[in-house]
């Protein structure tokens, strides 16, 4: 489609709004949301940016209708400035991918800009201390879009490679034992003494909780783990100091301090 055939007055932003509290939303994200004609997202995320809503049109969508949401946003962005909100970072298990996939499929000429945000891993790590200063992997335990066998393979490979592991989507109402299954796999090749951090509602105004434990004991806190929780499993060098997790970067091998 040529530029002249497209209605190219609009713009679509896919905006990562950070973990929840207004002060962890970037200035860029705030500017985009303030200046948008239309803001689209699910209720949880819209509530997190309610302080920025004045005259924008707000479209609340529900979980599980992401494809429709992406299509609608692309359509409306032909003639409007549309901001689609995505929790945390808009890439990391966020809406950026689906929006670009749908745009490619439709061969859309709409301008799309992806606005990054503070992802759950960064938020959670900051509350735990310094668990991820070295190589790490993030793995989502949601098997709605990824087969469980693939998740198991990734868990095993990253555990064997001694990477710090950040676990997103550890549980949902329908998938209540995925976290237990994941811990079982990780314990096959990681010591029980390895530190584990369980953080719920990190950097949100309500419900924040931080637990520091070990791999051997983590399942004692299984009831604390839910869909608003991210879990960080340390590597073989991680330790606990004053209820904080520290993973050495390697300075101690090179310098005296
Ligand atoms: N795009 C988001 C992740 C979406 S997947 C991001 O970059 O953070 C949803 C998962 O993210 C949740 O199941 C949970 O594991 C994690 N999560 C999101 N916000 C969180 C928060 N404030 N505290 C703890 N975990 C969070």
């Amino acid at each position: 489609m040529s530029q002249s055939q497209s209605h190219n007055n609009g713009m679509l932003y896919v905006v990562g709004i950070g973990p929840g509290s207004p002060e962890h939303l970037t200035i860029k994200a705030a500017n985009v949301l303030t200046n948008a004609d239309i803001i689209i997202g699910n209720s949880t995320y819209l509530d997190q940016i309610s302080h920025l809503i004045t005259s924008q049109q707000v479209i609340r969508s529900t979980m599980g209708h992401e494809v429709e949401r992406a299509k609608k946003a692309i359509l409306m962005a032909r003639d409007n400035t549309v901001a689609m909100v995505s929790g945390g970072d808009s890439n990391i298990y966020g809406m950026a991918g689906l929006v670009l996939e749908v745009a490619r499929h439709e061969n859309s000429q709409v301008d799309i800009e992806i606005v990054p945000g503070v992802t759950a891993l960064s938020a959670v790590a900051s509350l735990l201390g310094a668990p991820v200063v070295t190589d790490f992997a993030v793995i989502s335990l949601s098997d709605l879009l990824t087969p469980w066998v693939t998740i198991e393979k990734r868990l095993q490979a990253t555990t064997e490679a001694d990477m710090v592991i950040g676990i997103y989507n550890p549980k949902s109402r329908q998938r209540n034992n995925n976290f237990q299954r994941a811990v079982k796999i990780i314990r096959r090749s990681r010591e029980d003494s390895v530190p584990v951090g369980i953080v719920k509602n990190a950097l949100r105004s309500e419900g924040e909780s931080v637990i520091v434990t070990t791999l051997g004991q983590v399942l004692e806190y299984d009831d604390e783990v839910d869909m608003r929780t991210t879990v960080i499993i340390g590597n073989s060098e991680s330790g606990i100091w004053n209820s904080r997790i520290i993973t050495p970067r390697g300075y101690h091998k090179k310098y005296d301090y």
Side-chain angles (χ1 to χ4, degrees):
M1 198 194 283
S2 74
Q3 290 292 98
S4 57
Q5 282 172 298
S6 68
H7 320 236
N8 229 356
N9 312 318
M11 177 84 196
L12 175 55
Y13 294 94
V14 188
V15 186
I17 60 164
S21 74
E23 59 187 341
H24 291 98
L25 180 97
T26 67
I27 295 168
K28 168 81 182 187
N31 286 342
V32 165
L33 293 168
T34 305
N35 295 319
D37 301 318
I38 302 170
I39 299 180
I40 180 165
N42 72 33
S43 287
T44 312
Y45 299 143
L46 291 173
D47 290 347
Q48 288 174 12
I49 53 138
S50 57
H51 60 291
L52 296 172
I53 296 175
T54 50
S55 59
Q56 306 94 318
Q57 183 189 341
V58 173
I59 300 180
R60 284 183 187 264
S61 44
T62 41
M63 292 260 283
H65 293 88
E66 287 83 9
V67 175
E68 278 162 51
R69 197 187 313 163
K71 284 186 165 177
K72 200 169 181 175
I74 290 167
L75 186 66
M76 291 185 305
R78 289 179 174 190
D79 306 300
N80 299 283
T81 301
V82 178
M84 171 180 279
V85 293
S86 193
D89 182 73
S90 43
N91 255 274
I92 301 173
Y93 311 114
M95 286 298 290
L98 181 59
V99 166
L100 288 178
E101 280 183 61
V102 172
R104 176 178 61 185
H105 184 73
E106 294 180 354
N107 196 20
S108 168
Q109 300 302 305
V110 162
D111 268 342
I112 300 174
E113 184 174 329
I114 312 297
V115 179
V118 175
T119 190
L121 190 81
S122 306
V124 164
S126 73
L127 295 170
L128 290 170
V132 285
V133 293
T134 184
D135 298 341
F136 65 92
V138 290
I139 297 180
S140 164
L141 300 190
S142 170
D143 55 357
L144 291 175
L145 301 170
T146 305
W148 182 256
V149 285
T150 305
I151 297 171
E152 280 196 351
K153 248 190 242 166
R154 290 176 183 168
L155 282 167
Q156 194 169 329
T158 49
T159 307
E160 283 170 3
D162 200 24
M163 295 173 88
V164 173
I165 307 172
I167 297 184
Y168 281 63
N169 295 304
K171 271 190 199 170
S172 74
R173 267 174 225 105
Q174 303 81 29
R175 298 171 283 107
N176 207 40
N177 66 351
N178 283 7
F179 183 62
Q180 290 173 36
R181 290 160 80 188
V183 168
K184 209 170 153 193
I185 293 164
I186 296 167
R187 285 181 75 184
R188 282 192 216 134
S189 33
R190 208 164 283 196
E191 299 281 334
D192 276 354
S193 57
V194 159
V196 174
I198 303 169
V199 183
K200 201 189 298 201
N201 292 311
L203 306 181
R204 286 183 178 160
S205 45
E206 274 172 42
E208 184 178 274
S209 85
V210 179
I211 295 168
V212 173
T213 180
T214 60
L215 189 57
Q217 290 183 315
V218 68
L219 289 181
E220 290 174 22
Y221 301 94
D222 189 43
D223 288 346
E224 295 295 317
V225 176
D226 64 15
M227 59 199 291
R228 292 158 300 156
T229 308
T230 298
V231 181
I232 295 183
I233 319 266
N235 69 14
S236 63
E237 293 189 275
S238 305
I240 298 175
W241 173 70
N242 280 352
S243 307
R244 291 182 138 182
I245 301 178
I246 306 174
T247 302
R249 173 84 199 278
Y251 290 104
H252 63 290
K253 293 182 196 146
K254 228 177 153 188
Y255 302 100
D256 284 330
Y257 47 84

